Amino acid sequence: MKQTNKASNSQMGVVIVGHVDHGKSTLIGRLLNDTDSLEDGKINDIKASCEKRGVPFEWSFVLDAFQAERDQAVTIDTTQIFFSTKARNYVIIDAPGHREFLKNMISGAAQADAAVLVVDTIEGVREQTKRHAYMLHLLGMKQVCVAINKMDKAKYDAKAFEKASRESVEYLNSIGLSAAHIIPVSAFEGDMMAARGDNMPWYKGKTLTEALDAFAVSSPPVALPLRFPVQDVYRFDEERILVGRVESGILRKGDTVFFSPTNEKSTVTAIENWPNKEGLIEAQAGQSIGIKLDDRIFVERGHLGSHEKNLPMLSNVFRANIFWFSNNALKVGNVYKARFGTAEATVTVQSIDTLVNTDDLAKQDNAGEVAKNAVAEITLRARDMLPIDSHDDNGQLGRMVLYENHDVVGGGLINMEGYPDQRQSKEPKSENIYKVAHSVTPDMRAERFGHYGGVFWFTGLSGSGKSTLAVAVEHEIFNRGLNAYVLDGDNVRYGLNSDLGFSPEDRTENIRRIGEVAALQANSGVIILSAFISPYQADRDKARVASPHNFYEIYIKADLETCEGRDPKGLYKKARSGEIKQFTGIDSPYEPPRNPDLVVDTENNDIDTCVEQIVNYIFAHVQTDGQVDVSQKSKGRVVALKDMKQKGG
């Protein structure tokens, strides 16, 4: 096919999508013909082939690369086709419309700068129209035009166009997409393709080619923070070269590059690319390069280079808006390989948060599974910390693909909304710190007070009963002679953490401080009843690290519907009305404990039953009754020596 070079404009990628049989292939074939982008004699060859086979001429045959496609009269693969207007060069990504090849449509759309959504004038918006439009929305497509096709079959009726146009706009607006142009076309006859034709004088807008020429070509994201995913490490004698492509930002010789997730950094001494023998002073987004460092730090494939002032997030948990392609349904607990950038990680499906019906946009929360061709928002958890950028922050690295047995089974966009950056400095910011060794040990305190200290960490949704139970338990065990104290979320935020809000980062810092305070008090022999939502498993794990031998995670279990029905403080009502933002369970995530030490079901049990359960558990883990298991002294653990029922617990 012909392609005319346009010196002043770069090439634009366009994806053509829409319901099967709405005329995408016909539209592309006619577009190639009307822009003089076909090889000489191509149309005559197709006409001769049609006559030989006894079938009518179809513009869609221009695209058919395989004989099987002509026989089936459907397009079965994503195909790239080049054409040119007077303004610029184009590459069209022809995406098939039927369900079986949805994966190819998404692959094509991910490469495009703009999209043309084809809608049949008479049939209007159908199932695949909605599905493809929703995919464009989730892929972050900003430049969309709608071609209302087959106007010749509607006898070029303006009212028919208005009806199909209105239907298209309503659906696009409902999913957050906006069409820059809505154009009535007859792909078969050529009206409003590259030329206006004489059949629709009532339409005053742009032709299809004029609309495409009005779109902007995406420029490399040099203004974004530096992201250099390491593709490989080459070794030549004693020299190491880190190779990869600069996905965003600018990298200069002499820059200090910080690598995640290892938190190591080094200075770039050279930037190399083939065939340039002199080396580069700088490299920008889109360039594939090799870099040399002045220190031999540990860097491998999948690590992500950045400048220290604009680091990616580190997390072992993230959300993803995904499209599911596999015949095997995605279910909670399933394990997959996730790839983004050059990184690969083993991830487990922690939850299926929302299942979306692309036809009517109905959403189902906490679905049991995600079937083939479905769209869902899920939460994934990895074994290790991963360098992550949300798609909203960096479209280059915010896309993800899921694999199972080397097959692509899903893909979509990474979303870190509601989750904190788990990156922490390895060393305290303060200097000259020396821990004081206590001469009074936990065992000595236990002998004096008759019990050990401990951190009993109550976690659950707002309204699950954490504070109510903590206060009741405190009263009960205090009456039995044990020294207990409740740390409650609201009380702590009045003083110690009054400077913190409810952003993911502030929530993490809130729990970090509480965990450290609880650990100090427990070490002094106090039984701490810590009642906090503490929504993130990673933060609760860090609190456990602060008290490694006497930390007990207690899940106060009640589902969202139950908690919202109670709403003792009226917070859910305010969150639903938008008065409170980032409220856990509504617009901020809650991660139930993976393996809690105790589960207390307040949804199905009364307060007295729950209090008794917790009190028995505490006595079993802190009581000494004047006796201490000497073999466990070094670990600070307590062995219950008597049956709690005999003690009235």
Side-chain angles (χ1 to χ4, degrees):
M1 294 182 182
K2 298 177 181 178
Q3 183 179 6
T4 306
N5 291 322
K6 313 291 180 184
S8 60
N9 289 282
S10 58
Q11 179 175 278
M12 169 176 277
V14 179
V15 64
I16 312 291
V17 301
H19 192 82
V20 65
D21 293 332
H22 278 201
K24 297 187 309 301
S25 295
T26 300
L27 181 143
I28 295 172
R30 185 75 199 215
L31 185 62
L32 295 174
N33 180 75
D34 291 3
T35 57
D36 194 28
S37 299
L38 293 175
E39 298 174 357
D40 293 338
K42 182 70 172 179
I43 296 301
N44 289 333
D45 291 343
I46 294 174
K47 287 180 178 179
S49 177
C50 290
E51 291 176 1
K52 183 178 179 180
R53 298 172 60 214
V55 297
F57 172 79
E58 290 286 350
W59 286 105
S60 60
F61 290 155
V62 171
L63 304 183
D64 291 331
F66 306 103
Q67 184 66 33
E69 291 181 319
R70 292 188 183 178
D71 293 339
Q72 296 174 24
V74 294
T75 306
I76 64 173
D77 198 2
T78 296
T79 309
Q80 292 191 343
I81 311 105
F82 297 95
F83 82 99
S84 298
T85 66
K86 293 180 179 179
R88 64 162 66 101
N89 296 323
Y90 289 89
V91 56
I92 291 180
I93 301 131
D94 176 34
H98 46 299
R99 293 170 62 97
E100 191 62 27
F101 303 104
L102 185 62
K103 187 190 305 185
N104 294 329
M105 176 259 149
I106 295 167
S107 299
Q111 305 170 44
D113 301 302
V116 177
L117 180 64
V118 182
V119 178
D120 188 306
T121 307
I122 299 172
E123 291 193 3
V125 174
R126 300 293 298 277
E127 175 199 2
Q128 283 300 312
T129 316
K130 293 180 178 181
R131 191 179 298 273
H132 282 197
Y134 200 85
M135 300 308 173
L136 295 177
H137 158 65
L138 288 185
L139 286 170
M141 183 66 68
K142 302 298 183 185
Q143 301 185 123
V144 180
C145 77
V146 179
I148 305 296
N149 193 23
K150 302 187 181 181
M151 286 300 300
D152 52 313
K153 291 189 176 182
K155 298 182 180 179
Y156 300 103
D157 181 25
K159 291 184 178 179
F161 166 71
E162 291 171 2
K163 181 177 181 295
S165 175
R166 184 169 55 252
E167 192 177 341
S168 301
V169 168
E170 287 176 356
Y171 184 75
L172 291 178
N173 289 346
S174 72
I175 62 175
L177 274 182
S178 177
H181 309 279
I182 301 181
I183 308 163
V185 303
S186 170
F188 189 79
E189 299 294 343
D191 297 284
M192 295 299 168
M193 297 291 291
R196 302 192 66 83
D198 301 322
N199 294 309
M200 291 180 283
W202 44 266
Y203 172 72
K204 306 300 181 183
K206 297 180 182 295
T207 64
L208 181 59
T209 55
E210 289 171 342
L212 293 175
D213 287 344
F215 285 143
V217 178
S218 299
S219 56
V222 294
L224 292 177
L226 172 67
R227 295 293 183 264
F228 177 65
V230 177
Q231 178 74 29
D232 205 348
V233 180
Y234 294 165
R235 292 172 174 82
F236 300 97
D237 297 326
E238 295 299 315
E239 205 169 50
R240 292 192 315 158
I241 300 178
L242 312 183
V243 298
R245 185 173 70 176
V246 180
E247 294 293 348
S248 62
I250 301 175
L251 177 62
R252 296 182 174 89
K253 182 178 178 180
D255 281 358
T256 297
V257 179
F258 192 97
F259 290 93
S260 301
T262 56
N263 291 337
E264 296 196 76
K265 58 186 177 180
S266 185
T267 301
V268 177
T269 59
I271 302 176
E272 300 185 354
N273 76 326
W274 187 89
N276 191 328
K277 296 182 179 180
E278 303 299 324
L280 302 175
I281 299 300
E282 71 172 31
Q284 298 187 358
Q287 287 185 267
S288 295
I289 58 170
I291 63 173
K292 297 178 182 178
L293 304 176
D294 65 347
D295 294 318
R296 293 184 62 84
I297 61 174
F298 172 64
V299 182
E300 64 180 359
R301 175 182 170 84
H303 287 183
L304 185 60
S306 64
H307 290 133
E308 195 166 4
K309 289 186 177 180
N310 291 288
L311 299 172
M313 294 180 69
L314 273 190
S315 182
N316 65 342
V317 61
F318 58 94
R319 278 177 167 168
N321 299 316
I322 66 155
F323 332 111
W324 191 247
F325 309 129
S326 176
N327 290 320
N328 300 320
L330 177 145
K331 298 179 181 180
V332 173
N334 284 6
V335 177
Y336 303 101
K337 287 286 187 182
R339 293 180 186 173
F340 50 94
T342 60
E344 180 179 284
T346 299
V347 295
T348 302
V349 180
Q350 176 172 296
S351 62
I352 301 171
D353 305 310
T354 305
L355 192 65
V356 181
N357 184 323
T358 56
D359 187 45
D360 59 8
L361 297 183
K363 295 184 177 181
Q364 177 185 349
D365 293 334
N366 301 313
E369 63 181 35
V370 181
K372 184 176 182 180
N373 291 326
V375 178
E377 182 180 79
I378 64 175
T379 299
L380 298 169
R381 182 173 290 276
R383 297 171 183 172
D384 303 310
M385 289 293 177
L386 307 174
I388 295 175
D389 280 313
S390 285
H391 183 266
D392 288 345
D393 297 329
N394 193 314
Q396 303 302 111
L397 294 177
R399 292 187 175 121
M400 175 205 65
V401 175
L402 293 175
Y403 287 82
E404 184 177 41
N405 299 326
H406 306 291
D407 292 328
V408 176
V409 291
L413 308 182
I414 294 173
N415 173 13
M416 292 302 295
E417 184 177 358
Y419 281 103
D421 185 357
Q422 296 184 38
R423 188 190 304 272
Q424 290 190 344
S425 174
K426 293 182 179 179
E427 302 295 336
K429 292 184 178 180
S430 305
E431 297 180 355
N432 302 316
I433 298 176
Y434 304 95
K435 282 190 174 183
V436 174
H438 291 275
S439 60
V440 179
T441 68
D443 291 330
M444 295 167 64
R445 297 180 195 277
E447 286 191 45
R448 171 68 59 86
F449 302 134
H451 66 83
Y452 281 94
V455 178
F456 294 85
W457 193 280
F458 294 25
T459 177
L461 290 169
S462 177
S464 61
K466 299 181 301 300
S467 296
T468 300
L469 290 176
V471 170
V473 169
E474 177 190 42
H475 186 267
E476 180 67 20
I477 63 177
F478 181 78
N479 284 342
R480 300 192 192 185
L482 277 65
N483 187 15
Y485 190 81
V486 171
L487 289 177
D488 176 75
D490 288 347
N491 292 347
V492 169
R493 283 184 177 273
Y494 269 109
L496 175 66
N497 294 343
S498 60
D499 60 322
L500 299 177
F502 291 89
S503 69
E505 290 72 25
D506 280 359
R507 286 181 185 275
T508 290
E509 175 60 16
N510 182 55
I511 299 305
R512 188 195 69 80
R513 294 182 190 178
I514 294 163
E516 295 294 337
V517 168
L520 291 173
Q521 289 188 295
N523 194 49
S524 73
V526 181
I527 297 168
I528 297 300
L529 308 173
S530 177
F532 297 89
I533 295 174
S534 46
Y536 309 120
Q537 182 68 54
D539 294 341
R540 299 193 297 267
D541 289 344
K542 290 172 185 175
R544 184 185 292 273
V545 170
S547 302
H549 307 307
N550 55 357
F551 181 95
Y552 310 96
E553 187 176 31
I554 301 178
Y555 179 28
I556 309 301
K557 183 180 179 182
D559 63 22
L560 179 61
E561 183 179 358
T562 299
C563 294
E564 192 166 359
R566 294 169 179 167
D567 203 9
K569 303 174 185 177
L571 300 179
Y572 283 101
K573 184 178 180 181
K574 291 182 178 180
R576 292 292 188 188
S577 67
E579 294 180 55
I580 300 178
K581 302 295 184 184
Q582 296 180 319
F583 189 78
T584 303
I586 303 299
D587 55 359
S588 189
Y590 175 75
E591 297 179 1
R594 295 194 301 270
N595 188 26
D597 298 291
L598 178 67
V599 177
V600 179
D601 186 353
T602 65
E603 186 178 337
N604 297 302
N605 294 294
D606 59 26
I607 291 179
D608 290 342
T609 300
C610 294
V611 169
E612 182 180 8
Q613 181 185 5
I614 298 171
V615 168
N616 288 345
Y617 184 82
I618 291 175
F619 267 81
H621 287 81
V622 304
Q623 188 182 15
T624 67
D625 198 27
Q627 303 178 53
V628 177
D629 184 343
V630 178
S631 66
Q632 296 293 333
K633 280 186 178 182
S634 63
K635 297 182 179 179
R637 294 174 179 168
V638 177
V639 177
L641 301 178
K642 290 189 176 181
D643 188 297
M644 289 300 103
K645 291 183 179 179
Q646 295 178 356
K647 302 186 69 64

